[in-house]
Amino acid sequence: MRAVQHACPSSEYSAGALDGVRRSAAACRACALWKNATQTVFGEGAQSAALMLVGEQPGDQEDRAGRPFVGPAGQMLDRALADAGIDRRKVYVTNAVKHFKNEPRGKRRIHKKPSEREIEACEQWLAREIAVVGPKLIVALGTTAARAVVGHPTPIERNRGKLMKHLPHTSLLITVHPSMLLRLPQEYKAGAYRQFVKDLKLAAPFVET
């Protein structure tokens, strides 16, 4: 898998460029994930945001709402962003994969990890989002996001919590996905949350106040 290629935004992108990409993504059939999903969940936020957060894929609540990070993991992310001094309204938030991969079990839909093929199928949409927004920093939240942005498997713990040069105009910060914090045993939650906030504080200077 190639690293997602992008550049600074140019004059070819109008103020409504993201809306055009969003409409195109809504009709995507590049993989089969759309069959069990309610809708495409595209990114949202300021088109000129200096900071972009990339997660894995929409969850059940995101799939129903059509917006990224609005479920329990999104609430954890909002809390951590606030504690790190980052205003989510000034950030662009998206996912590496735009459809909810799930396995129906009775009335429930169980989350399933996207495959490499499915990450690759969505690469074009992430690349276009990055090209339009032109962020100065991308924060990859979790294994799938890191793989999508970097282009190959990238260990989280070995690479998290440090600013890395990604492409000429964009840095990269890798950290855990907020859903991981929700799954931890209670005795580990507080320490893991503090580390997550510490990672996000490295991104705070990139956000315009």
Side-chain angles (χ1 to χ4, degrees), residues 1-2 18 41 51-52 58 60 62 64 80 83-84 88 106 110 127 137 145 147 167 169 171-172 186 190 195 205:
M1 188 191 301
R2 303 184 311 275
L18 276 174
V41 180
L51 174 59
M52 176 182 284
D60 182 77
E62 289 80 8
R64 299 179 191 280
D83 286 344
R88 176 167 168 168
I110 307 301
L137 175 67
R147 186 184 183 103
L167 288 172
H169 303 287
S171 297
L172 173 65
Q186 191 62 40
Q195 183 60 53

Side-chain angles (χ1 to χ4, degrees), residues 113-136:
K113 185 178 178 65
S115 68
E116 181 175 323
R117 168 70 184 85
E118 290 154 352
I119 296 171
E120 289 177 341
C122 262
E123 183 182 90
Q124 61 171 316
W125 306 118
L126 180 59
R128 292 184 195 184
E129 286 176 298
I130 294 171
V132 174
V133 176
K136 295 177 181 177

Side-chain angles (χ1 to χ4, degrees), residues 23-71:
R23 286 192 295 271
S24 296
C28 183
R29 301 294 183 266
C31 72
L33 290 185
W34 64 275
K35 294 180 180 180
N36 290 327
T38 303
Q39 59 193 311
T40 301
V41 180
F42 201 71
E44 65 178 20
Q47 178 162 313
S48 59
L51 174 59
M52 176 182 284
L53 304 180
V54 180
E56 180 191 58
Q57 65 163 330
D60 182 77
Q61 292 188 36
E62 289 80 8
D63 173 72
R64 299 179 191 280
R67 298 180 57 215
F69 284 99
V70 295

Side-chain angles (χ1 to χ4, degrees), residues 164-180:
M164 298 177 284
K165 192 67 177 179
H166 180 50
L167 288 172
H169 303 287
T170 307
S171 297
L172 173 65
L173 174 66
I174 294 174
T175 187
V176 298
H177 194 282
S179 64
M180 185 275 285

